[in-house]
Amino acid sequence: MAGAVFWALVVLATLTSLATAWALGANSNSPPFAPAIGANAISTMQAAFLIGILAALGALTQGGAISETVGAGLINGVQITSLAATAGLLTATGFMAFGIYTGYPVPAAFATTGAMVGVGVSLGGNPAIDTYRRIALFWTLVPPVSGGLAYLTATLLRRDDIPETVGVPLLAAVVGGIVANVQLGVIPSPADATQSSVAGFIARQVDTPTVVGVDPLAVLVTLAVAAAGFRFIRRRTQASVEDGIRTFLIALGSVVAFSSGGSQVGLATGPLENLYGAELGLPGIVLLALGATGILGGAWMGAPKLLQATSREYAQLGVRRSIAALVPGFIIAQLAIALGIPISFNNIIISGVIGGGLAGGSAGVSRRKIGVTLAFWLITLAVSTVVGFVLYRAFAAVLGG
């Protein structure tokens, strides 16, 4: 492929990746702070500002695993070329744009995964069946797990024998314990790893024997952070239940927005993994910074309008049901990041909203709407695969690459 054509494709693929990241920042990161806005705990512009910063930080420090899966783990036997990356990104972005403008529930993870499988097969690669099985299993488990956790959370918050001065701090303790074990690229890690957690880092500073493969010091750090979260929110709720809940909503929104950035950036940067790493010889952080920049811009420029709309929806759901939807969102997003599995964050939240609604006797979403949503997810996956395959073949026929 001629040098001029190659660099033209590099520019086109980079701009398309930025556009994808911008769309993700504007659309997929609205749920975390919507309940806090609905509860008047934070203004729309303040929330948009925090979402941009936190999601960008999550992208930089946690996005590597999913980016690698999207870029190299979906197809065996071939490397994704610049032309294939361009075709895949244009396909995925086209589907997301269609969803934005029509209102149909197009999941970004399904569109991107399908597109990259399509271009990979079109390149002559072999389907990575084992990876597909892991992803399919995870996607299948998301609705019942997210809905189930939301149901349990909402039930806890609705119990008359568990006051909110106890129930809300207990959830804060759970979130705090998970935060202590979140894997981050900025924390010094062992030689055989690229990320580490606060609990893991502290545990490595003291040589202690493991018990059934678990470091007791890491467990103690986890419990200490959980206890600190419980105590802080407990004091806030004892002083004022409403203020305590608002504080928890802001803290919960912050960690969920951070997780959203880490789980979503790979959908925009994954197709460029081989182009930036192997062909251009750039370190992975450069690609993640590109995605983080797009997410930051999307959050600051596009999120305020969506936040106003989603905050009204969450205000109608109520504070308890909103919390019940976001807690499993945080847990599942972090699990997906740890396993390197691409996910659509909004799918998790939708399942959580339904599960939280069931705790009150009604899911608040019609069966027909649920069925249409699930059908559209599957259609998106299948059609994006075909479009990615055909688009790459068309590009290759015209450009000869």
Side-chain angles (χ1 to χ4, degrees):
M1 186 180 296
V5 174
F6 170 77
W7 285 109
L9 287 173
V10 169
V11 172
L12 179 59
T14 299
L15 291 176
T16 309
S17 177
L18 272 171
T20 305
W22 191 98
L24 291 168
N27 294 278
S28 298
N29 294 309
S30 297
F33 276 95
I37 296 172
N40 296 318
I42 189 172
S43 71
T44 299
M45 296 309 296
Q46 288 173 330
F49 177 79
L50 284 177
I51 286 173
I53 296 295
L54 292 167
L57 288 175
L60 279 172
T61 59
Q62 286 201 294
I66 292 179
S67 184
E68 184 177 348
T69 297
V70 173
L74 297 176
I75 291 293
N76 295 326
V78 295
Q79 298 290 333
I80 300 298
T81 64
S82 56
L83 187 61
T86 302
L89 281 167
L90 286 174
T91 300
T93 304
F95 272 83
M96 282 183 263
F98 173 80
I100 292 170
Y101 285 106
T102 64
Y104 284 100
V106 175
F110 284 46
T112 304
T113 300
M116 294 312 297
V117 170
V119 299
V121 172
S122 190
L123 267 171
N126 301 313
I129 301 299
D130 290 340
T131 301
Y132 302 164
R133 286 174 181 162
R134 289 194 306 115
I135 293 175
L137 177 61
F138 194 92
W139 285 354
T140 302
L141 290 176
V142 162
V145 172
S146 179
L149 289 174
Y151 179 86
L152 293 175
T153 303
T155 301
L156 171 69
L157 293 175
R158 291 174 60 87
R159 288 179 64 95
D160 294 332
D161 56 340
I162 301 179
E164 289 178 319
T165 53
V166 175
V168 176
L170 280 175
L171 292 176
V174 172
V175 172
I178 296 173
V179 167
N181 289 276
V182 165
Q183 300 292 312
L184 300 172
V186 294
I187 298 178
S189 59
D192 59 345
T194 58
Q195 297 181 336
S196 184
S197 65
V198 172
F201 174 73
I202 294 176
R204 287 194 302 275
Q205 307 311 303
V206 180
D207 188 13
T208 55
T210 61
V211 179
V212 197
V214 177
D215 193 316
L217 186 54
V219 174
L220 287 176
V221 173
T222 300
L223 293 175
V225 176
F230 179 91
R231 185 179 181 186
F232 176 70
I233 298 299
R234 167 83 166 167
R235 286 184 171 182
R236 295 285 294 175
T237 53
Q238 285 179 325
S240 168
V241 171
E242 293 301 320
D243 288 345
I245 289 177
R246 288 172 180 169
T247 300
F248 180 59
L249 282 173
I250 293 175
L252 182 60
S254 298
V255 296
V256 174
F258 182 90
S259 303
S260 177
S263 65
Q264 298 295 288
V265 70
L267 303 178
T269 60
L272 302 186
E273 279 282 331
N274 181 67
L275 173 61
Y276 270 60
E279 297 190 51
L280 299 180
L282 297 173
I285 191 65
V286 173
L287 186 55
L288 291 178
L290 174 72
T293 301
I295 286 177
L296 178 68
W300 283 359
M301 297 168 64
K305 183 178 180 179
L306 285 170
L307 278 169
Q308 290 177 345
T310 53
S311 64
R312 288 192 293 269
E313 295 175 3
Y314 276 87
Q316 294 174 354
L317 292 175
V319 173
R320 294 171 184 82
R321 190 171 167 186
S322 298
I323 291 175
L326 291 181
V327 169
F330 169 59
I331 295 172
I332 295 174
Q334 284 298 326
L335 182 59
I337 292 170
L339 296 175
I341 294 177
I343 57 169
S344 282
F345 196 78
N346 285 335
N347 297 353
I348 303 174
I349 299 299
I350 290 172
S351 302
V353 168
I354 295 171
L358 288 172
S362 172
V365 180
S366 68
R367 292 183 178 179
R368 180 181 178 279
K369 186 173 182 179
I370 295 173
V372 170
T373 300
L374 290 175
F376 213 85
W377 292 352
L378 296 176
I379 291 172
T380 297
L381 182 63
V383 177
S384 63
T385 303
V386 174
V387 173
F389 182 96
V390 173
L391 186 60
Y392 172 72
R393 285 292 174 92
F395 279 7
V398 173
L399 299 175

